Amino acid sequence: MMEDLNRLSLSEARDALRRRDTTAEAITRACLEAIDAAGALNAFVHKTPELAVARARAADARLATGDAPDMCGLPVGIKDLFCTRGVASQAGSRILEGFVPEYESTVSQKLADDGAVMLGKLNMDEFAMGSSNETSVYGNAVNPWRRGNDETALTPGGSSGGSAAAVAADLCLAATGTDTGGSIRQPAAFTGTVGIKPTYGRCSRWGIVAFASSLDQAGPMTKTVRDAAIMLRAMSGHDPKDSTSAQLPVPDFEAALTGDIRGKTIGIPREYRMDGMPDEIEALWTRGREMMQDAGARIVDISLPHTKYALPAYYVIAPAEASSNLARYDGVRYGHRAALAQGDGITEMYEKTRAEGFGPEVQRRVMIGTYVLSAGFYDAYYNRARKVRTLIKRDFETVFAEGVDAILTPATPSAAFGLGEMADADPVRMYLNDVFTVTVNLAGLPGIAVPAGLDRQGLPLGLQLIGRPWEEGALLNAAFAVERAAGFVAKPAKWW
Amino acid sequence: MDVRMSIDASTAARVAKLARIRVEEAALPALADEFNTILGFIEQLGEVDIDGVEPMVSVTPQRLRMRADEVSDGAQADKVLSNAPDAREGFFAVPKVVE
């Protein structure tokens, strides 16, 4: 009998199932046990053990027929942002307390159709607005990694903090995440896991609670690059229910993983060398550059001149879209409705419901969005930000046209920080977490975070690779080369 | 971009009203301060030369596809209403809207 089945990667489990070394039910039960023992991480916030076992048994039956997709029988966690039929889907918010969808998001449906086993729903920042999982109605998710013997609780990053913590702690084989400004890649970097945000339009957004529709993309969070390739393929594809989903064939991303990057041109953008960047991030970036050079890639210095303006543009565009998307939470059709006083009318109902249902960060962003869209400011803020976005995308188009195949950057400006450490900081300091990732969303490009080393305190650090649109296969292959060269195998010591 | 006016408590109150979020009077000055911090950060966009640049509409060049104008879904009022805080006789129920 195989042991520690919850520690398997997707590819290991897939292959073991085909060798009949184990069963989907056994792997699923190992994960369910690991989840029950990991309450301290607060990663799974709605557990679905009965559903999981039923799906695992169905998967075993399908596997026995000898013709099953890669994801068949593999237990995964689903971010709470995905609507799942008959299972609570709250987007980490009080305003969706008690909401049980009558429908299934396209991405989670695709995974289910392939036979993947949902273990439950994962913690996240409220409406995916946050970089530390501290804005969640469920409370903080906790990073399984610690600074050596220091017991300080660290953030797993955000907004897909529960997904990252669950994958890093082997509570599931992989998880779904979503990424609007870095919400897959920053938590992956903070937890020593792999996270890819595909090209905008690769995965359907249908049934995923909307934050900023022109930026939101779903993607897998996994233990290895190979797993990211396997799971991304299962999540991708055209969906008539999302008008922005691309009508393009989905390649076999795993087949692209040769590890051969000889002759590829890797760009190093000088604008990502930030003032005050920690030495260890700088050193990691240099090592990444050397690893890719040693693997036969050509390294070139490039310029993305509008990088500095990406975060400010993002903090106009994302709140503007959020203020519009979140207008639907009005206490009428679903979720929370405030108790009303005698004589309260519909306006009081809206105002009280939204004040009670939205946490402080969500309220702040909805109001900023309302402000930048309001009469007199629309041109000065919103239209200006959309023009700057055009320039940011043009920066990338220029370097790709000059022959750059992929761009290498740090994934985050620091390792995981302590929960509560940013409590007194102004909101902008928290926003700086996404400084290396947010450009990718604004330009609609694919980006991947790969674990590449540990800092002095023993915390994982990640590198980011940015690819050409629709070329996730080549991007994953470049990441695969970095993964192999870095040889990152560290796991958090179990304390939970 | 010459909109650099600092937000005061009364502007914060107006924004909260537009966003339909109740904010207590006492919380308005702190909210205004937070807005000013964020808007101060956003002001950097004023440095960028945007002459002749089109505002981005769609990040991936694509034309929205049209589908046949046919009913493809519906007739599931029970499911639509199943999550409503207050539903009666096949309708969403809300406080009185018209005086």
Side-chain angles (χ1 to χ4, degrees), chain B residues 7-91:
Chain B
I7 289 192
D8 56 15
S10 73
T11 310
R14 189 174 62 83
V15 173
K17 185 79 192 170
L18 281 172
R20 297 290 183 269
I21 296 174
R22 169 156 302 199
V23 177
E24 298 306 325
E25 190 81 34
L28 288 171
L31 183 66
D33 282 350
E34 285 176 357
F35 286 169
N36 284 321
T37 303
I38 296 168
L39 292 172
F41 179 63
I42 293 169
E43 294 295 346
Q44 294 176 63
L45 296 176
E47 301 165 11
V48 185
D49 179 4
I50 50 163
D51 272 2
V53 178
E54 284 297 310
M56 185 180 286
V57 177
S58 170
V59 73
T60 44
Q62 59 178 200
R63 277 182 44 200
L64 285 181
R65 290 175 298 277
M66 307 288 272
R67 65 166 175 82
D69 185 15
E70 289 164 355
V71 176
S72 59
D73 205 348
Q76 37 187 329
D78 290 353
K79 286 186 178 178
V80 171
L81 292 170
S82 68
N83 279 290
D86 190 2
R88 296 174 204 176
E89 297 164 37
F91 294 95

Side-chain angles (χ1 to χ4, degrees), chain A residues 412-453:
Chain A
T412 56
S414 73
F417 50 89
L419 288 162
E421 242 167 51
M422 302 275 251
D424 300 325
D426 72 58
V428 171
R429 251 195 75 202
M430 186 66 98
Y431 298 168
L432 288 171
N433 262 290
D434 294 334
V435 66
F436 298 134
T437 49
V438 75
T439 50
V440 174
N441 300 79
L442 289 168
L445 301 171
I448 185 167
V450 194

Side-chain angles (χ1 to χ4, degrees), chain A residues 28 61 105 129 238 278 298-299 308 355 369 416 436:
Chain A
T28 299
S105 80
M129 297 180 193
H238 175 248
R298 194 168 72 90
I299 310 294
K308 179 185 169 196
F436 298 134

Side-chain angles (χ1 to χ4, degrees), chain A residues 27-78:
Chain A
I27 304 173
T28 299
R29 289 192 185 279
C31 290
L32 292 171
E33 264 177 51
I35 291 167
D36 282 339
L41 300 177
N42 198 24
F44 276 88
V45 290
H46 299 287
K47 304 178 193 175
T48 55
E50 293 87 8
L51 182 70
V53 170
R55 282 199 190 167
R57 286 180 179 156
D60 280 326
R62 189 167 171 189
L63 284 157
T65 68
D67 181 28
D70 284 342
M71 290 299 294
C72 189
L74 306 185
V76 298
I78 302 289

